[in-house]
Amino acid sequence: MKTIHYYILAAVIGLSVMTSCTDLDETLYDQVGAQNYYNTKSDVVRATFRPFEHAFWSIQSRHVLNELTADQLITPTRDGWWDDGGKWRRLHYHEWNVEDGGDAQSEWNGCFQGIMQCNYVIEDLEKLDASRFGFSQAEFDNLKAQCRVLRAWFYLRLLDGFRHVPLAVSFNDVSKNTETQVEPRVIFNLIESDLKECLPLLAEKTVLGGNSSLQGQWTKAGAASLLVRLYLNAKVYIGKEMYTECAQVAQDILDGTYGNYAVADRWDAAFDWDNDLCDEVIFGFPAAPGYSYWHYQGDTYWWTVPARARYYLKDSKCKAGDHNTKYAASPSYAPDGKLMTYELGMPIQKFRKYANDERLKLYKNLGNSRREGLFLYGYLNYTDESGTSKRVQAPEVPYDLYIRDAVGKFQNLAPTKWLAIPTSTLRDGDHNSGWHFAKYPLYSDDDAHQMESDYTEIRLPEIIYSLAECKLRAGQKAEAGKLLNTVRRRNYPETEYASVLYQPEGAATLDLQEMLDEWGREFFAESRRRIDLIRFGKFSSGSWWDKIPDSDNHTEIFPIMRPILNANLKLEQNPGYNK
């Protein structure tokens, strides 16, 4: 079921090209030379998919940068935990600087490492004869095209995060690369041309029934989806609106031009253990216990629940270690219990806007590798091994958790009681502060498919929402509403459709603010909130809980960190940061 996954894992021991992005002339050490390495068809496959494993690993830095700088997720202090020298505060308040290093440095380095791995494989494959290894020319062209698409995926992240980056298109001939940054348009054009040229060379998902053996491979629909991402944010990247182009590619995907896909009948199907069988998934990184499962790590989804959640989830034997409280939903209520009035943030209140949302059910493992609900809140009751009913407690300070949609030092305060203070900050939390969540299921030790979920990078609702936004911006509000409803109707009981569906199929009103809110509901904690806020003009100018507008918009791209600048003196610091 996860064939490509095992190819990727096998590749780890066969090829390791971790080249520095700032020293493109670096010598390749500790590897078997290309002339000796490629002896069998499996050797070619292992080499081709080595960069994919690195790509899967690299999602962690992107997640931190795109969620903790935005309005929906927070990392508050908790009884002395999670200050870490102010690292998370600087992300939240947009006060990072060139000395911070951390995730911005990991994102830059991780993407360029991946790009150079792709370049290495692309150039190797150009020298090989397909027939010698038992490939048809079409199969061989597909392998090369996949590496080019993966390189485009890395470059799209760099364009998104830093905008001004060097061009690196060759591992062996560094004269084709640049030591200095190029204009964003150059990177944009490279991404666009690579994707368009590779589209006809890639495989196509021809029938419904999941991705099966295609899971983990770039297909025609996957490459087209990256074009949708590129065009949707073109105004941000290169100052040119390309909503018409975005809408055309998105419509082609929905029309089946690039393969057969369908929206799942439940919101969590694209994240569940058998999501390789979900027709909503366009591209996902295969994962399995004992192999790679990078999304089940502290920097992504493993630390989105209470520290002692193992008692409630009964997943204490998981290979990813214990849970922690890095992420929570930004609060809707002040510590005194009054509902706040921010236009941005307050994600739980945005979910509550529409009645009986399935995702608002308390997260619960139902057994047989199934779950319900997205969020963890209130008391988390469980029965211990002796049959005694208990509640999950805070670590170190022994009080029963009552998880609130607010940030404050509540500790043992009764659920009906609130604090006598009207405001709070990121420094004022405890282990009750902010609803937790489980986007990917955290099944118990008794479930056969514990931690088997693949990581879903692209799913069909993204294409539907992108097309809806393009239509809304073009004044086609009714068409946009109908598109969104094709996804939204699965989140609510049919009895609520009249009030929760967008006009003309229901009473709900759609405008640009509601479009942004709906992006936040459907793609909550999916590593994209920052770019959505930027595209809607809200990231640097907007306000949300404990976050005032920035002084200007230079924070819409990250600085190049000091170690990277020191490694390549020809790099120029991004505008607005200390040179």
Side-chain angles (χ1 to χ4, degrees):
M1 186 163 58
K2 301 177 186 290
T3 305
I4 298 303
H5 172 76
Y6 298 119
Y7 279 142
I8 295 172
L9 267 294
V12 173
I13 62 172
L15 196 63
S16 180
V17 190
M18 302 293 285
T19 304
S20 168
C21 59
T22 55
D23 182 5
L24 303 181
D25 198 23
E26 190 171 2
T27 304
L28 182 66
Y29 294 105
D30 297 327
Q31 296 189 55
V32 178
Q35 68 274 17
N36 299 319
Y37 177 77
Y38 299 102
N39 296 302
T40 68
K41 187 174 187 177
S42 295
D43 292 338
V44 176
V45 172
R46 280 194 293 268
T48 300
F49 287 105
R50 170 60 186 96
F52 284 71
E53 171 66 7
H54 173 79
F56 187 10
W57 165 83
S58 75
I59 64 171
Q60 297 168 90
S61 58
R62 181 189 63 173
H63 186 74
V64 173
L65 293 177
N66 284 291
E67 292 294 351
L68 288 184
T69 64
D71 63 328
Q72 291 193 312
L73 299 189
I74 59 172
T75 300
T77 59
R78 300 180 183 277
D79 299 332
W81 291 26
W82 287 108
D83 183 70
D84 298 332
K87 176 179 179 180
W88 315 113
R89 281 184 274 121
R90 289 193 291 276
L91 288 173
H92 182 80
Y93 300 133
H94 298 183
E95 294 176 347
W96 50 80
N97 57 58
V98 300
E99 310 296 346
D100 268 338
D103 295 292
Q105 184 171 326
S106 295
E107 180 70 356
W108 176 284
N109 287 338
C111 286
F112 270 112
Q113 288 165 355
I115 287 166
M116 294 305 286
Q117 289 183 31
C118 291
N119 288 338
Y120 184 85
V121 175
I122 291 167
E123 291 177 325
D124 268 5
L125 296 185
E126 289 290 347
K127 303 170 187 175
L128 301 180
D129 180 1
S131 61
R132 175 191 165 195
F133 300 96
F135 290 103
S136 69
Q137 192 59 50
E139 289 173 330
F140 213 59
D141 289 343
N142 172 274
L143 292 178
K144 288 185 285 187
Q146 287 202 59
C147 281
R148 289 177 66 190
V149 173
L150 185 64
R151 183 176 67 180
W153 178 77
F154 281 120
Y155 264 125
L156 186 53
R157 286 169 54 181
L158 288 169
L159 189 63
D160 185 272
F162 301 96
R163 210 84 77 239
H164 309 101
V165 299
L167 179 71
V169 293
S170 176
F171 186 92
N172 296 311
D173 184 359
V174 295
S175 67
K176 297 179 180 179
N177 305 328
T178 67
E179 294 183 86
T180 58
Q181 292 111 311
V182 296
E183 289 296 315
R185 165 64 80 172
V186 175
I187 302 299
F188 186 99
N189 289 345
L190 174 68
I191 297 169
E192 182 182 36
S193 61
D194 269 355
L195 294 175
K196 285 184 172 181
E197 289 173 17
C198 290
L199 261 172
L201 304 175
L202 296 166
E204 181 178 321
K205 178 176 175 286
T206 57
V207 296
L208 294 177
N211 284 327
S212 188
S213 62
L214 290 176
Q215 186 82 311
Q217 298 189 57
W218 286 107
T219 60
K220 290 180 180 178
S225 297
L226 293 183
L227 278 174
V228 170
R229 287 184 179 178
L230 184 71
Y231 292 151
L232 184 65
N233 296 296
K235 181 68 180 298
V236 174
Y237 298 151
I238 58 173
K240 177 185 177 182
E241 288 188 358
M242 298 187 72
Y243 295 119
T244 301
E245 291 84 349
C246 179
Q248 183 59 63
V249 179
Q251 188 64 63
D252 288 343
I253 294 172
L254 297 186
D255 289 343
T257 302
Y258 302 116
N260 289 292
Y261 299 87
V263 175
D265 61 1
R266 54 189 178 89
W267 74 265
D268 65 318
F271 312 102
D272 215 345
W273 71 270
D274 54 356
N275 54 356
D276 57 328
L277 303 178
C278 177
D279 286 308
E280 181 173 311
V281 178
I282 293 177
F283 179 82
F285 287 108
Y291 292 90
S292 287
Y293 44 93
W294 293 111
H295 53 311
Y296 280 117
Q297 300 294 319
D299 281 327
T300 44
Y301 298 101
W302 197 248
W303 288 357
T304 66
V305 296
R308 291 182 173 175
R310 66 184 183 276
Y311 297 115
Y312 176 74
L313 300 169
K314 299 186 184 303
D315 67 347
S316 60
K317 296 179 182 177
C318 279
K319 294 181 181 296
D322 213 346
H323 297 286
N324 209 325
T325 53
K326 181 171 185 176
Y327 296 103
S330 186
S332 304
Y333 290 86
D336 61 2
K338 293 180 180 178
L339 183 66
M340 295 184 288
T341 58
Y342 292 106
E343 179 185 58
L344 299 172
M346 301 175 56
I348 305 306
Q349 187 63 21
K350 299 290 176 64
F351 278 99
R352 289 194 188 108
K353 181 177 180 179
Y354 299 102
N356 296 313
D357 192 321
E358 290 287 333
R359 296 165 294 189
L360 282 176
K361 291 180 178 178
L362 177 67
Y363 178 90
K364 184 187 299 183
N365 287 329
L366 302 177
N368 297 318
S369 300
R370 282 290 179 260
R371 54 87 76 90
E372 69 176 7
L374 171 58
F375 296 100
L376 291 92
Y377 51 84
Y379 290 123
L380 299 180
N381 298 300
Y382 68 97
T383 303
D384 70 10
E385 294 179 353
S386 67
T388 304
S389 295
K390 292 186 176 181
R391 291 170 175 163
V392 173
Q393 289 192 323
E396 297 183 1
V397 183
Y399 55 86
D400 290 346
L401 291 186
Y402 183 79
I403 303 169
R404 302 175 184 243
D405 186 14
V407 172
K409 293 180 172 65
F410 301 103
Q411 297 209 341
N412 275 314
L413 202 64
T416 56
K417 303 293 184 180
W418 294 85
L419 302 176
I421 54 175
T423 61
S424 60
T425 72
L426 209 65
R427 298 185 182 191
D428 298 327
D430 68 359
H431 287 279
N432 294 311
S433 297
W435 278 25
H436 289 290
F437 58 93
K439 193 85 182 195
Y440 288 83
L442 303 171
Y443 290 133
S444 79
D445 295 336
D446 296 327
D447 283 299
H449 302 290
Q450 186 183 49
M451 291 180 64
E452 195 174 321
S453 301
D454 294 345
Y455 176 68
T456 299
E457 171 66 20
I458 304 172
R459 54 191 181 95
L460 191 62
E462 177 183 344
I463 309 307
I464 294 171
Y465 277 48
S466 297
L467 180 57
E469 182 181 324
C470 292
K471 288 185 177 294
L472 182 62
R473 291 180 183 276
Q476 301 170 34
K477 183 181 294 189
E479 291 185 42
K482 289 179 181 178
L483 280 165
L484 295 174
N485 290 340
T486 64
V487 179
R488 297 181 78 249
R489 65 180 66 248
R490 69 184 178 188
N491 298 324
Y492 310 96
E494 190 172 349
T495 54
E496 303 289 348
Y497 284 175
S499 60
V500 304
L501 295 184
Y502 291 124
Q503 299 172 352
E505 298 172 324
T509 302
L510 181 64
D511 56 20
L512 281 176
Q513 180 57 47
E514 176 64 16
M515 183 77 231
L516 179 59
D517 290 348
E518 182 58 22
W519 272 113
R521 283 185 287 263
E522 180 62 30
F523 294 90
F524 178 80
E526 289 189 50
S527 308
R528 65 169 297 132
R529 186 60 176 173
R530 171 184 157 274
I531 188 58
D532 290 336
L533 289 178
I534 293 173
R535 188 174 65 257
F536 280 81
K538 305 287 188 178
F539 182 76
S540 57
S541 64
S543 299
W544 49 90
W545 172 78
D546 195 29
K547 170 67 178 67
I548 62 174
D550 301 349
S551 59
D552 56 41
N553 67 353
H554 80 274
T555 55
E556 293 182 2
I557 56 177
F558 295 105
I560 302 171
M561 297 302 173
R562 181 73 65 199
I564 298 170
L565 291 173
N566 289 343
N568 181 357
L569 300 180
K570 294 186 178 181
L571 292 177
E572 291 287 335
Q573 183 56 273
N574 276 331
Y577 295 104
N578 184 355
K579 296 183 182 299

